[in-house]
Amino acid sequence: MNTYKEFQLSKFRFTRDDYFAHIYFPTQTGKEMEHRVDIDAFLKSLQRDVAWSFFYGMVKFDDVFGTINHYGTVEVFAGKYHKTFHQSGFWHAEELGRGEVERTFTQMLEDWVSAEFDPFAAPRETGSAVGPKRSSNIDAIHRKRVLTTRIVKQADRQEPEYPVNDGFKGMEFKYGEMHIKPGHESKFGLVNLYEYLARSDVTWNPSIVSVLEHSLFCPTTEEHRLPIKHGNDRVEWFVQLNGQIDWEVCDQKTGDLLAYVRMRPGDVCAMPSDIQHQGFAPERSMLLVWENADPKMPEKIRKGEVPGDPDKMVTMK
Ligand code: PHB
Ligand code: FE
């Protein structure tokens, strides 16, 4: 028997069964609509949206449902950024308080994620999300991202808590050398980013490893598919450190496919602010995401002070 809880978020209603999350919403046509998402895909997206506090800009769980971060309020939408749904009036969107959305989404994770399923893990590393209600996986859901205030230290990720992931076994980590004037040892440190990342126990979850004003280096290890389609509200940069990631790039408002991008080690890619992107990594790989965390960015872009096109980003006010 299905004993999963049902959730209401303003006019959206969510239920789950063994295989699917069901999202019910009113539409412009006057008819209610039901949208289904595979439960493991839905929970992986939901987990990231909560863990990232709604991220920058748009997080689409799939082509239909998602959120837009307005930094204080959150637009929750269904069908609005899907060309056919939108044209046919089969859409609904509401601007809701961030706390309200966060609470409902967190409760959904706590009730719907089962003990053997880790939404942050690669498929080969976790059990199944499907099936009837059983005990929860509270530790995995509330895992905190690394958020450094300056720069991470190698000691932050070591044995036995953080073993080198199977996907990176055999990788050689070559350290630099430091020769420090006696008395100044505490002021210097070495980090081998490859080893640091090889010990990451999550996928598709950028963690902030260095901060310089609003410039954040957020490297991450990737495997399988980015569970969300990200429509950033500002330009962001990707540097492929190893392995390969293919990106599907679509128009942010309609979902129309614009490009495929294949990134190999050393490749650098700047994503403009009017698209959505989703990455596919056939093997575990390392990606550096470089974000601009200037809180004034959305407003500056709206006013035309900063182009959303990286090609035009010559000077910034
Ligand atoms: C992104 O949307 O830019 C993104 C999100 C998570 C990742 C990598 C990239 O792990
Ligand atoms: Fe992104």
Side-chain angles (χ1 to χ4, degrees):
M1 202 186 72
N2 179 5
T3 54
Y4 288 110
K5 279 190 197 146
E6 177 177 322
F7 295 90
Q8 188 84 35
L9 179 62
S10 195
K11 296 203 174 88
F12 292 93
R13 189 163 61 88
F14 303 84
T15 64
R16 88 153 273 190
D17 57 24
D18 286 4
Y19 288 117
F20 301 106
H22 302 255
I23 306 166
Y24 303 84
F25 53 95
T27 68
Q28 313 300 306
T29 68
K31 290 189 193 129
E32 189 190 56
M33 178 133 188
E34 176 187 352
H35 176 61
R36 268 169 232 87
V37 188
D38 275 354
I39 192 60
D40 60 337
F42 180 82
L43 293 173
K44 286 184 204 183
S45 307
L46 185 66
Q47 174 70 77
R48 283 164 180 80
D49 211 16
V50 170
W52 303 344
S53 294
F54 307 107
F55 211 22
Y56 301 104
M58 178 190 278
V59 170
K60 266 185 171 176
F61 288 35
D62 65 357
D63 290 331
V64 175
F65 179 78
T67 58
I68 302 181
N69 195 352
H70 289 139
Y71 314 99
T73 58
V74 177
E75 178 182 312
V76 181
F77 62 83
K80 188 176 172 189
Y81 305 101
H82 181 294
K83 194 152 94 186
T84 316
F85 277 51
H86 192 259
Q87 280 171 357
S88 319
F90 285 115
W91 66 273
H92 179 65
E94 286 183 65
E95 195 72 27
L96 300 171
R98 167 215 174 111
E100 181 188 3
V101 185
E102 198 166 59
R103 251 188 321 278
T104 308
F105 281 9
T106 304
Q107 287 165 5
M108 218 183 293
L109 282 169
E110 289 177 352
D111 193 71
W112 289 6
V113 174
S114 62
E116 67 267 36
F117 182 62
D118 180 352
F120 278 122
R124 68 176 168 84
E125 298 175 304
T126 184
S128 175
V130 307
K133 174 95 177 109
R134 48 213 189 274
S135 54
S136 311
N137 194 352
I138 301 297
D139 287 352
I141 293 167
H142 293 290
R143 173 193 271 131
K144 284 272 165 275
R145 270 198 300 169
V146 177
L147 290 179
T148 191
T149 50
R150 199 166 155 246
I151 192 160
V152 286
K153 298 185 193 63
Q154 200 75 48
D156 295 342
R157 233 180 233 168
Q158 280 302 331
E159 307 276 351
E161 206 188 338
Y162 295 101
V164 170
N165 186 274
D166 279 352
F168 297 125
K169 284 267 156 68
M171 196 171 188
E172 225 184 302
F173 308 116
K174 287 195 179 140
Y175 279 76
E177 284 176 37
M178 288 196 298
H179 305 278
I180 305 165
K181 190 172 176 185
H184 296 265
E185 289 83 353
S186 65
K187 297 178 193 159
F188 296 87
L190 268 181
V191 177
N192 183 297
L193 188 60
Y194 285 94
E195 176 172 356
Y196 185 83
L197 287 175
R199 295 181 183 282
S200 165
D201 60 348
V202 290
T203 59
W204 305 104
N205 191 31
S207 53
I208 301 168
V209 303
S210 75
V211 181
L212 186 65
E213 291 197 11
H214 301 309
S215 168
L216 307 183
F217 268 5
C218 315
T220 153
T221 56
E222 320 295 45
E223 187 171 328
H224 187 229
R225 178 179 54 182
L226 173 58
I228 59 126
K229 297 171 188 223
H230 183 216
N232 209 343
D233 53 15
R234 63 201 71 187
V235 174
E236 78 185 315
W237 294 76
F238 295 151
V239 181
Q240 189 73 35
L241 299 177
N242 83 353
Q244 175 185 304
I245 299 180
D246 292 343
W247 292 94
E248 211 176 276
V249 180
C250 300
D251 182 276
Q252 203 176 94
K253 293 274 183 310
T254 63
D256 282 348
L257 182 64
L258 298 176
Y260 289 115
V261 177
R262 172 159 295 176
M263 295 188 72
R264 296 196 178 89
D267 285 343
V268 179
C269 183
M271 292 289 180
S273 64
D274 58 353
I275 55 98
Q276 63 186 44
H277 46 266
Q278 182 174 32
F280 298 80
E283 290 170 9
R284 206 171 190 89
S285 65
M286 296 177 180
L287 177 74
L288 177 64
V289 180
W290 184 20
E291 290 283 3
N292 183 339
D294 182 351
K296 299 210 179 81
M297 206 50 151
E299 193 192 325
K300 283 183 182 171
I301 291 172
R302 236 184 347 262
K303 285 190 188 156
E305 290 175 8
V306 179
D309 175 352
D311 212 22
K312 301 201 176 71
M313 197 167 278
V314 184
T315 52
M316 286 211 283
K317 285 180 197 163

